[in-house]
Amino acid sequence: MTETLSPALPDDVEALIDRVLREAGDRGLTLATAESCTGGLIASVLTDVEGRSHAFERGYVVYTDDAKAEELAVPTRLIDQNGAVSGPVACAMAEGALRRSGAAVAVAVTGFAGAAGPDDEPGLVHFALAAAGAPTVHEEHHFGDIGRGPVRMESVRVALRMLEQAVTKR
């Protein structure tokens, strides 16, 4: 159970956090996150469980294009060609977090939690998961215009599910 965030988290998210951290810890795996629209929420929940947070290596909050390029070595041409909210950028973020952190598994999220530009789809979020010795996995979700908070919580849920699948396979 999370320490400080428990009152704000749905029960299924609490259970996912516990399973991810338990499985990673039991297997000696470390986790990293690369977050844009979630602003560090995934890292926060993974470090909020007493006695289990040792499975977390580090998190990157890379909200701007420059931060993605500087912190995770996401090529600026990739961002220019595809947009920051895209599958290729999410994959590059996850792969960059994996390389830079030394963790065994890294998850990345980039999206529009709320209204952005006139051509941007609120609730469009791209996820990627990179693991040592495995191909990078990408998922695209369309949560709709449900508000920033709900999109971010749904994004945490998806990222945790992806982490759970990855750590139980290793």
Side-chain angles (χ1 to χ4, degrees), residues 77-109:
R77 68 168 169 61
L78 191 69
I79 296 170
D80 293 342
Q81 290 171 349
N82 298 282
V85 177
S86 65
V89 169
C91 290
M93 289 170 61
E95 291 164 359
L98 188 70
R99 261 191 325 275
R100 297 249 168 135
S101 70
V105 180
V107 68
V109 59

Side-chain angles (χ1 to χ4, degrees), residues 56-79:
F56 185 74
E57 163 65 25
R58 71 183 75 182
Y60 300 90
V61 177
V62 289
Y63 206 68
T64 66
D65 294 351
D66 286 343
K68 289 172 182 67
E70 292 167 15
E71 297 297 318
L72 300 174
V74 175
T76 54
R77 68 168 169 61
L78 191 69
I79 296 170

Side-chain angles (χ1 to χ4, degrees), residues 8-21:
L9 294 174
D11 290 343
D12 69 305
V13 172
E14 287 266 5
L16 268 170
I17 296 163
D18 184 62
R19 288 194 308 267
V20 166
L21 291 172

Side-chain angles (χ1 to χ4, degrees), residues 1 14 16 52 75 96 102 106 111 122 136 145 148 152 161 166 169:
M1 190 166 194
E14 287 266 5
L16 268 170
R52 296 212 191 274
T136 301
D145 194 2
R148 291 182 68 77
R152 289 163 50 120
R161 284 187 191 133
K169 288 181 184 177

